Amino acid sequence: MFYWSLCVEYMKNYAKTRLTYRMDFWIEVLSDILFQGLNLIFILIVFQHTPSLGGWSQAEVVFVYGFFMIPYGVFGTFFNLWNFSERYIVKGEMDRILTRPAYNLYQIVLENIDPPSIFGSVFGAVIMIISWSQLGLPFEALDALMLVVFTLGAVLIYAGLYTALTAISFYSDAPTGILPLMWNIQNYGRYPINIYNKMIRFLLTWLLPFAFVGVIPASYFLDRHEDGLSTLALFTPVVGIVVLVIGLTIWNHGVKRYRGAGS
């Protein structure tokens, strides 16, 4: 209850701030939707020059992109840690965090919460619904349950990977170039994995499992049994838990190394 009440208070403070600058809120929402829309347009342009991509039709690739956006929007809402190094390490705000009784990462997550990002998930859900209808896929109660399970698993993968990468700030003085690189790599997870060579497929599946945040769980609903992705999709929550545990372990060890501002 303590952590829940803490979350509620942070959300109240966020709402008060945004009510003061309402236009900034809607501009942020609009810019995020426009950015996601441009990515969708890029996919549609690609299919103007080819009937399929690695054996995947346009509707299937758009479906994968729609699913990809749902967990990414949730992740962006609760794990907006892009400026962690500058704010908490360089400026020393980590000292303030560590003097409080709540878990340090939980405080940082709530301080940087970004609710407008959730509109990306809504946009992705709309894309999925339209593609679902175009593909003529059946919809059952189990599909709704699996969508929730896969989304949570994908969010855990995002959270674990980016928590681990953010924690590099505790070990290195110049980690800023890693997060943009990882952001570019994660985008490979929204395309059919069989269009890449074996090394990249292995990287995206088992080392940096971004395939589990997009194409693999989406394959479950597309019944991609011929390439084994539908079966592999069932491991999404397991991969999410493993990656999150690794990320938290690296983070907790990094916090122990922290010696204060200027150290």
Side-chain angles (χ1 to χ4, degrees):
M1 291 302 297
F2 168 70
Y3 280 96
W4 172 249
S5 63
L6 192 61
C7 178
V8 172
E9 290 302 319
Y10 270 102
M11 291 299 294
K12 287 180 179 178
N13 290 334
Y14 177 88
K16 291 176 183 177
T17 302
R18 286 304 188 180
L19 286 174
T20 305
Y21 305 99
R22 299 181 186 181
M23 187 57 66
D24 289 346
F25 175 86
W26 291 111
I27 289 176
E28 184 178 349
V29 171
L30 180 61
S31 62
D32 185 57
I33 292 177
L34 287 175
F35 176 76
Q36 302 297 348
L38 287 175
N39 288 329
L40 177 60
I41 291 174
F42 172 77
I43 294 175
L44 297 179
I45 290 175
V46 168
F47 278 96
Q48 294 299 313
H49 301 278
T50 180
S52 65
L53 190 64
W56 295 62
S57 67
Q58 175 180 299
E60 289 176 324
V61 175
V62 171
F63 182 92
V64 171
Y65 179 64
F67 177 87
F68 173 87
M69 289 179 59
I70 295 177
Y72 182 69
V74 177
F75 161 74
T77 300
F78 295 101
F79 286 87
N80 185 23
L81 304 177
W82 302 104
N83 65 341
F84 171 80
S85 179
E86 179 180 354
R87 177 178 176 182
Y88 292 94
I89 303 298
V90 177
K91 294 183 179 180
E93 290 196 31
M94 193 68 187
D95 294 357
R96 169 178 58 82
I97 294 295
L98 294 176
T99 60
R100 296 175 175 179
Y103 181 51
N104 49 79
L105 182 59
Y106 186 73
Q107 295 181 63
I108 293 171
V109 165
L110 290 181
E111 285 188 353
N112 294 277
I113 197 168
D114 186 33
S117 294
I118 201 66
F119 283 89
S121 295
V122 175
F123 189 56
V126 171
I127 292 174
M128 274 194 69
I129 292 172
I130 295 174
S131 300
W132 204 304
S133 175
Q134 291 178 342
L135 291 167
L137 299 174
F139 183 81
E140 302 174 355
L142 180 61
D143 292 325
L145 174 62
M146 295 307 296
L147 179 60
V148 174
V149 171
F150 290 152
T151 298
L152 290 176
V155 171
L156 293 182
I157 292 172
Y158 275 126
L161 284 173
Y162 279 97
T163 296
L165 293 171
T166 302
I168 295 177
S169 299
F170 295 117
Y171 304 89
S172 171
D173 294 330
T176 54
I178 298 178
L179 290 180
L181 173 63
M182 198 58 55
W183 187 86
N184 288 323
I185 293 176
Q186 79 178 22
N187 289 324
Y188 288 100
R190 67 190 187 202
Y191 297 110
I193 196 170
N194 60 316
I195 67 175
Y196 308 120
N197 62 43
K198 292 182 178 180
M199 184 175 68
I200 295 179
R201 288 203 300 267
F202 180 79
L203 172 69
L204 293 176
T205 305
W206 305 115
L207 298 183
L208 297 173
F210 285 121
F212 280 98
V213 305
V215 62
I216 291 179
S219 297
Y220 173 85
F221 305 104
L222 296 172
D223 292 327
R224 301 287 301 191
H225 296 291
E226 65 275 9
D227 43 24
L229 294 182
S230 294
T231 303
L232 196 60
L234 300 176
F235 291 94
T236 300
V238 177
V239 174
I241 293 173
V242 171
V243 174
L244 180 64
V245 170
I246 293 174
L248 291 177
T249 301
I250 296 174
W251 173 273
N252 292 332
H253 184 266
V255 170
K256 293 179 182 179
R257 290 173 54 91
Y258 181 72
R259 294 295 179 266
S263 63

